[in-house]
Amino acid sequence: MGFFATFFGFLGFAIGIPLGLLVGFFLFVYSEAKQVKNPVVRPISELGPIAVQELLPEIPLWVKTPDYERVDWLNRFLLDMWPFLEKAICGMIRTTVEPIFAEYIGKYQIKGIEFDQLSLGTLPPIVCGMKVLETNEKELVMEQVIKWAGNPNIVLTLHVLSLKIKVQLVDLQMFATLRITLRPLVPTLPCFAKIVVSLMEKPHVDFGMAISGGDIMSIPGLYRFVQETIKKQVASLYLWPQTLEIPILDESTVAIQKPVGILHVNVVRAIKLLKMDLLGASDPYVKLSLTGDKLPSKKTTIKRKNLNPQWNEKFKIVVKDPQSQVLQLQVYDWDKVGAHDKLGMQLVPLKLLKPYENKEFMLDLLKDTNINETPNKKFRGQIVVDLTFVPFKEDSMKFGGSSEGYVRKDSGIDSISDDEVQEGAGLLSVVIQGADEVEGDHHSNPYAILTFRGEKKRTKMMKKTRQPRWNEEFQFMLEEAPLHEKIHIEVMSKRKSFSFLSKESLGHVEINLNDVVHNGRINDKYHLINSRNGVIHVEIKWKVA
């Protein structure tokens, strides 16, 4: 039976093949061609949920979300630049990874790790969409969706014991949504200090890996395990709000010094000052200032006809760098006519002061600012001052911690109630950044006037513009927190030539300082009252000493 079954099987195969070819030939020749129908085009709304889910991954992001824009020009740029970028990136990879490899040599019987081949291939990444986010900070924030189906060839050679193991990475595919932030923006090329990168969602990474020619990803369960492990590790490092910071400029070249504390100065008295007037004694007063500060000098009162004046006058001066700044004390003889005569001067480096420690200085007055030279033999008198440096509470840890009464309490919340407001003197800083869409009826030369507690400050005037950018800071030393108080800011325009309509208001705003005291800082844009579309950008900070 087995023989007959085999025989008839071969017989059927031998007869069926020629017979099938003959029938197919006649059907192909004599059958009529059918008209090709156009494909049915249906809107997405008519598709079922399963069809839509299968289609969504293929739709570009600039179609799904209108705020993402197409960047074909950028993809063209990457295509042309990729041969050069690829070499530069590979060089960076070698420089970064090789020191890490060196740490493993000698461990786990590893004698050496090196790149046998390192190439990212000929296919550049593709930017599927990009959008720019608007913030009130001095930064530029971009979100980009990147796909990369590359053909890299990365071969790593491991020398383990007497074995030489080659690990090859191929067919890399990656999909990620990146947020790239350039900050802070500074007036030094390339106009930003660092690049901050973070992932907005877990990335999709797919690749093949071969060890000594064998594809280990074909091992059941290993592929999914590797995928999930990579996603978790990358997400734990760089998933927002975690970031990767890439420095671009040296911090020292772009450092913007911010106030870190208050110097309390008590000008006590002076002893045996020079007599500058022929008829009568001198009329002394003292000017105080800090080096590296553009603020006006502070002055004591004038003591008439007194060579041993007693002042006991207290001042508060904002400190930005206690390690480099120096207090300048200059004693003058007041005159009704002409310039005031300098009786002497002295310098006190702030680095001599310990935080919160009151220190009294009795200083010999010198003729010149160069204290390294041999002082003039002529005795010019002495001045006595009490100095105390008090850091702001948020900066107290920078200067060796804080003393009792200066400990900042972390309550775990961002704001505090009126009862919890920290008492004591502080610095109120107001930065008027700029304005948009401010327009006068007769001219548009805007400037801003800030009014607080009866004191007025004014920015510079910008000519012929509706989008002025002032970026000017004004500081107020206060004895207590400005709770339940307001700052009034008015945008004005002024015509240079004489006219009855030389000034006009472009709008105003009043800002309540409660939020500033509770949160420490606000940075927002406010619509101007009595203005059609005007908006002003203001940043306000409150620091307690």
Side-chain angles (χ1 to χ4, degrees):
M1 291 296 294
F3 170 77
F4 288 106
T6 304
F7 173 76
F8 285 115
F10 278 110
L11 182 63
F13 182 78
I15 297 174
I17 290 295
L19 183 61
L21 291 175
L22 182 63
V23 173
F25 174 76
F26 277 99
L27 289 176
F28 176 76
V29 172
Y30 293 104
S31 62
E32 295 182 0
K34 295 182 179 180
Q35 186 177 2
V36 179
K37 296 181 179 180
N38 293 326
V40 178
V41 179
R42 299 170 60 190
I44 295 179
S45 58
E46 295 181 4
L47 299 178
I50 297 178
V52 172
Q53 288 180 0
E54 294 177 351
L55 185 62
L56 277 178
E58 305 301 325
I59 299 177
L61 201 60
W62 56 267
V63 175
K64 291 186 287 187
T65 52
D67 53 346
Y68 278 84
E69 298 181 0
R70 296 181 61 177
V71 283
D72 295 337
W73 63 270
L74 181 57
N75 290 322
R76 181 64 186 179
F77 171 80
L78 289 174
L79 181 62
D80 293 341
M81 289 291 294
W82 184 245
F84 308 97
L85 289 172
E86 188 267 340
K87 292 182 180 179
I89 295 173
C90 288
M92 292 176 60
I93 292 175
R94 287 183 182 273
T95 305
T96 305
V97 174
E98 286 179 353
I100 300 176
F101 289 166
E103 297 178 0
Y104 288 92
I105 296 177
K107 300 179 181 179
Y108 312 109
Q109 305 298 324
I110 297 175
K111 297 182 179 180
I113 306 176
E114 60 186 13
F115 283 109
D116 190 12
Q117 296 183 39
L118 178 57
S119 172
L120 299 182
T122 58
L123 301 176
I126 297 176
V127 181
C128 301
M130 178 187 294
K131 68 177 178 180
V132 178
L133 305 179
E134 182 179 354
T135 68
N136 294 332
E137 308 296 336
K138 294 180 179 180
E139 61 184 14
L140 177 62
V141 183
M142 301 173 288
E143 285 191 5
Q144 302 164 338
V145 179
I146 297 177
K147 286 184 178 180
W148 186 27
N151 55 347
N153 185 21
I154 303 175
V155 180
L156 198 64
T157 301
L158 281 74
H159 300 273
V160 181
L161 297 175
S162 59
L163 300 177
K164 185 177 181 182
I165 304 174
K166 288 191 175 183
V167 180
Q168 184 177 18
L169 181 68
V170 293
D171 298 331
L172 178 63
Q173 297 183 23
M174 187 169 57
F175 179 83
T177 302
L178 300 178
R179 173 174 289 180
I180 299 177
T181 305
L182 311 179
R183 69 179 181 204
L185 301 180
V186 295
T188 303
L189 289 175
C191 297
F192 55 90
K194 58 185 175 182
I195 301 175
V196 181
V197 183
S198 59
L199 294 168
M200 302 310 297
E201 57 186 16
K202 289 184 178 180
H204 172 76
V205 181
D206 191 6
F207 58 89
M209 182 178 293
I211 296 181
S212 298
D215 186 7
I216 64 170
M217 288 302 176
S218 60
I219 299 176
L222 181 61
Y223 175 78
R224 182 178 296 274
F225 172 76
V226 172
Q227 286 274 343
E228 294 301 322
T229 302
I230 291 176
K231 286 184 180 180
K232 289 181 181 179
Q233 291 297 324
V234 175
S236 65
L237 293 175
Y238 305 121
L239 186 64
W240 191 88
Q242 304 293 331
T243 60
L244 169 66
E245 294 190 358
I246 305 172
I248 302 299
L249 295 177
D250 186 4
E251 292 185 0
S252 61
T253 61
V254 297
I256 301 175
Q257 291 185 333
K258 298 179 181 180
V260 296
I262 297 175
L263 178 66
H264 295 258
V265 183
N266 180 18
V267 182
V268 182
R269 64 185 183 274
I271 304 169
K272 296 181 181 180
L273 296 176
L274 285 178
K275 180 180 178 181
M276 302 299 291
D277 298 331
L278 296 177
L279 301 175
S282 299
D283 303 320
Y285 70 93
V286 183
K287 289 177 63 175
L288 306 92
S289 62
L290 281 180
T291 57
D293 198 342
K294 298 180 180 179
L295 297 176
S297 301
K298 298 181 181 294
K299 299 178 182 179
T300 65
T301 57
I302 301 170
K303 299 297 181 180
R304 302 286 184 178
K305 302 184 183 305
N306 195 335
L307 299 181
N308 296 282
Q310 296 278 343
W311 283 291
N312 282 314
E313 296 182 16
K314 298 179 180 179
F315 302 90
K316 296 183 180 69
I317 305 177
V318 177
V319 178
K320 294 183 178 180
D321 187 359
Q323 294 301 314
S324 63
Q325 286 188 292
V326 175
L327 175 65
Q328 295 179 336
L329 300 166
Q330 302 181 74
V331 185
Y332 286 89
D333 176 27
W334 181 84
D335 288 321
K336 289 184 178 180
V337 181
H340 301 173
D341 299 322
K342 182 185 287 188
L343 300 177
M345 58 83 58
Q346 188 53 274
L347 304 175
V348 181
L350 298 191
K351 63 182 179 181
L352 300 178
L353 305 176
K354 294 181 179 180
Y356 316 109
E357 179 183 351
N358 178 263
K359 195 170 184 178
E360 182 179 273
F361 292 86
M362 179 176 287
L363 307 168
D364 293 333
L365 294 174
L366 306 175
K367 179 180 180 181
D368 302 315
T369 58
N370 189 354
I371 60 177
N372 294 324
E373 294 183 1
T374 303
N376 194 294
K377 294 181 180 180
K378 189 175 184 179
F379 182 72
R380 294 180 170 272
Q382 295 176 313
I383 186 171
V384 180
V385 292
D386 282 339
L387 303 179
T388 307
F389 171 58
V390 180
F392 293 126
K393 293 188 177 181
E394 62 187 72
D395 299 307
S396 61
M397 296 305 296
K398 299 178 183 178
F399 307 102
S402 56
S403 62
E404 186 177 357
Y406 292 94
V407 178
R408 185 182 183 116
K409 296 181 180 179
D410 295 326
S411 59
I413 54 178
D414 294 331
S415 60
I416 54 178
S417 65
D418 290 355
D419 297 334
E420 296 174 327
V421 170
Q422 298 164 344
E423 298 179 355
L427 175 69
L428 183 68
S429 171
V430 183
V431 181
I432 302 180
Q433 303 280 10
D436 295 308
E437 302 300 328
V438 290
E439 184 176 11
D441 295 331
H442 304 89
H443 43 79
S444 294
N445 302 316
Y447 61 94
I449 298 178
L450 184 153
T451 305
F452 178 65
R453 291 187 177 180
E455 186 177 357
K456 291 188 176 182
K457 308 280 188 178
R458 171 179 164 169
T459 68
K460 58 181 177 291
M461 184 175 68
M462 310 295 288
K463 296 181 181 179
K464 298 181 180 180
T465 180
R466 296 172 57 189
Q467 285 83 28
R469 295 293 177 263
W470 296 295
N471 195 26
E472 294 190 33
E473 181 178 5
F474 304 99
Q475 296 177 347
F476 300 89
M477 292 294 307
L478 307 180
E479 295 296 331
E480 58 184 9
L483 277 172
H484 313 297
E485 296 191 60
K486 296 181 180 180
I487 280 182
H488 181 89
I489 301 176
E490 184 171 15
V491 181
M492 301 287 295
S493 178
K494 182 178 180 180
R495 178 177 290 171
K496 283 292 186 179
S497 58
F498 175 78
S499 171
F500 290 105
L501 299 174
S502 61
K503 291 183 180 180
E504 61 177 302
S505 175
L506 307 184
H508 68 276
V509 67
E510 285 192 347
I511 303 174
N512 197 315
L513 297 179
N514 276 344
D515 289 342
V516 182
V517 175
H518 293 154
N519 299 317
R521 175 180 181 265
I522 61 173
N523 184 12
D524 208 345
K525 292 183 178 180
Y526 302 88
H527 291 279
L528 293 169
I529 301 173
N530 295 334
S531 175
R532 186 178 303 171
N533 299 308
V535 175
I536 189 168
H537 182 192
V538 182
E539 179 185 6
I540 307 177
K541 301 177 185 177
W542 169 246
K543 287 192 172 186
V544 182

